[in-house]
Amino acid sequence: MKNTHKSKMGKMALILMSTVSLLSIAACGTGDLETRTVVEKSGKKITVMDNASESVYTQLKLEGIDKLDGVRGMDWLSDDTLVVDKENTLMTAVTVEGEKRYPHNFYLRNLSTGKEQPLKESEKSLGFALLSPDKKNLFYKETYEATGIGYIMNLETGVTVKTGDAEFMTTEGEWSDNEHVIFPNMEGDILKVDLSGNSEIAVDTGVTYVHNVVQSGSKIYYVAHEDSQLIAYDTESKQSKVIKKDVMWVIPSPDGSRLAIVKRTAPTEMTLFLCDDEGNEQSTLASGTQVFGTSWSPDGSKLAYTTTAENGKENRLFITEVETGEQTPISDDMQASDKLRWSPSGKKLLTSTAVLKDNTYQFIAYVITLS
């Protein structure tokens, strides 16, 4: 990134990463499931809460929330095993601004026993791991501030391949199927890489910066341009179509028939819409200063997401039944720093947050069990 173009792109990347980091660094707690009644007093809305073990809106029940200190939850290998990211104190620490820092590596965490075993160790920091849909391969990055180099590891053999030599944003990259990952490079091209590390340009976007790249069936969705256009590229017809503007995130349903879209609807307001695969709005699900972490359940029947109030102190996690619009409030004090992730059975949710402790931010993972 020695030329002017790449310097500008680097600044844009850091700005985007800073925004994500601000979402991550929020005080959090487990929070009990609560019944909410909104009343008006002296012209102000007040939310009255009392403890309850069951949602007041649906029959979905919260069985419990387990707190895992010192780890960042990455993904589910099974309903009882997590891929987590944490400091590897067996490696050599480096001193940054007078503080010792150990590299972050990956571990498998057994939820029943609480025991961990190394999954991928390195002298360099690793992060942003994501398992393939069939749980056979791990896509992750070797991280450098807001950017990183991508890798794919075969879980059975341990063999690891690079997705390329160029850095890209650590927050980008998804599995398009069991054998390919897809992500944008720093020049605006959308790349597709197979399990052997072979790379091809899937979309020549013609712009210098794109983000939120995800593939669903034959369509590749991405956000580009100053007005945050959501664009759908059809890999069969080779045609692109602008679906919406002012889009922050798009999350396709498991079967690709629907899109959960987060749009900026006011200077300090985000709104989560349920849309068809062409972006036509079907319903409005939530609004807040931020709507983050949106994730579909494996069967596509539910959406989990967090909302943040304007004061930044009210971080609410909800689950919505897509067909009925009924909501289950899960917590009033938990903000997802990463995308919420459902377990394979759809009975558990994983999220991570960061808290200030001893003058440094430390991750905490939460496992939410439902019935």
Side-chain angles (χ1 to χ4, degrees):
M1 300 182 186
K2 293 181 180 181
N3 57 37
T4 304
H5 168 68
K6 291 190 175 180
S7 174
K8 290 181 179 178
M9 291 306 305
K11 290 180 181 178
M12 290 178 65
L14 289 172
I15 290 171
L16 177 61
M17 189 60 184
S18 297
T19 302
V20 174
S21 299
L22 287 173
L23 293 171
S24 303
I25 300 171
C28 61
T30 60
D32 294 324
L33 189 63
E34 296 164 319
T35 300
R36 297 167 176 77
T37 304
V38 179
V39 300
E40 288 199 13
K41 185 176 182 180
S42 302
K44 297 181 179 179
K45 288 188 177 181
I46 301 172
T47 304
V48 181
M49 308 178 188
D50 55 69
N51 291 331
S53 60
E54 184 175 344
S55 163
V56 298
Y57 301 111
T58 73
Q59 294 303 308
L60 187 65
K61 293 181 180 179
L62 173 67
E63 295 295 330
I65 302 178
D66 295 316
K67 177 182 175 184
L68 310 179
D69 289 311
V71 302
R72 185 177 189 177
M74 294 281 97
D75 204 352
W76 297 90
L77 184 60
S78 70
D79 264 44
D80 200 45
T81 305
L82 293 175
V83 176
V84 300
D85 158 5
K86 73 172 189 176
E87 287 186 327
N88 187 346
T89 56
L90 298 179
M91 295 295 178
T92 304
V94 297
T95 302
V96 180
E97 298 179 353
E99 177 186 353
K100 280 189 175 181
R101 297 183 184 177
Y102 292 94
H104 279 246
N105 289 174
F106 299 132
Y107 300 82
L108 291 178
R109 171 92 173 219
N110 185 290
L111 295 178
S112 296
T113 65
K115 293 182 179 180
E116 294 174 350
Q117 66 181 73
L119 176 61
K120 181 66 179 180
E121 294 184 294
S122 173
E123 290 285 353
K124 297 182 179 180
S125 276
L126 312 176
F128 301 90
L130 184 62
L131 287 162
S132 57
D134 61 9
K135 308 296 182 183
K136 293 181 179 180
N137 293 277
L138 186 75
F139 174 47
Y140 67 92
K141 290 96 173 182
E142 186 176 286
T143 60
Y144 314 101
E145 299 294 337
T147 62
I149 298 290
Y151 292 85
I152 298 174
M153 182 177 76
N154 183 299
L155 294 186
E156 183 179 359
T157 65
V159 173
T160 300
V161 299
K162 243 184 197 182
T163 62
D165 293 323
E167 296 177 29
F168 60 97
M169 294 298 297
T170 54
T171 52
E172 292 292 338
E174 295 283 348
W175 288 93
S176 59
D177 53 38
N178 286 320
E179 299 180 346
H180 298 86
V181 294
I182 191 167
F183 57 88
N185 63 18
M186 302 301 282
E187 285 71 46
D189 295 321
I190 297 176
L191 304 182
K192 182 176 281 191
V193 183
D194 66 17
L195 299 181
S196 298
N198 300 311
S199 175
E200 65 175 348
I201 296 178
V203 186
D204 181 356
T205 66
V207 296
T208 56
Y209 176 67
V210 302
H211 65 97
N212 188 212
V213 175
V214 61
Q215 183 167 357
S216 178
S218 64
K219 292 182 180 179
I220 297 175
Y221 298 95
Y222 62 95
V223 179
H225 303 288
E226 293 182 357
D227 54 355
S228 299
Q229 296 178 16
L230 173 60
I231 300 170
Y233 174 80
D234 192 309
T235 58
E236 296 176 350
S237 68
K238 311 298 182 184
Q239 298 297 311
S240 295
K241 178 182 178 181
V242 177
I243 292 178
K244 281 186 177 301
K245 296 181 180 180
D246 300 316
V247 172
M248 304 305 294
W249 292 284
V250 58
I251 310 95
S253 63
D255 66 0
S257 64
R258 289 177 171 176
L259 303 174
I261 294 178
V262 178
K263 284 182 56 181
R264 182 178 296 281
T265 47
T268 59
E269 181 184 71
M270 301 288 185
T271 301
L272 173 61
F273 296 98
L274 181 64
C275 307
D276 63 18
D277 62 350
E278 293 292 328
N280 299 305
E281 294 172 10
Q282 297 176 333
S283 62
T284 301
L285 301 183
S287 291
T289 301
Q290 186 56 266
V291 180
F292 199 66
T294 309
S295 180
W296 291 87
S297 62
D299 64 1
S301 68
K302 302 175 184 67
L303 272 169
Y305 52 90
T306 60
T307 63
T308 303
E310 191 170 355
N311 59 17
K313 296 180 180 179
E314 296 177 13
N315 306 307
R316 295 182 172 180
L317 192 157
F318 291 94
I319 296 174
T320 291
E321 297 280 350
V322 174
E323 294 302 329
T324 65
E326 294 175 324
Q327 289 184 321
T328 298
I330 299 299
S331 171
D332 273 326
D333 195 22
M334 185 187 299
Q335 184 184 28
S337 61
D338 303 315
K339 182 179 179 180
L340 289 156
R341 300 207 178 274
W342 293 83
S343 68
S345 70
K347 295 180 178 179
K348 295 180 181 179
L349 272 171
L350 173 67
T351 187
S352 297
T353 54
V355 295
L356 185 62
K357 185 178 181 181
D358 300 327
N359 295 320
T360 185
Y361 281 98
Q362 299 181 10
F363 277 102
I364 298 174
Y366 291 96
V367 176
I368 302 161
T369 303
L370 308 162
S371 66

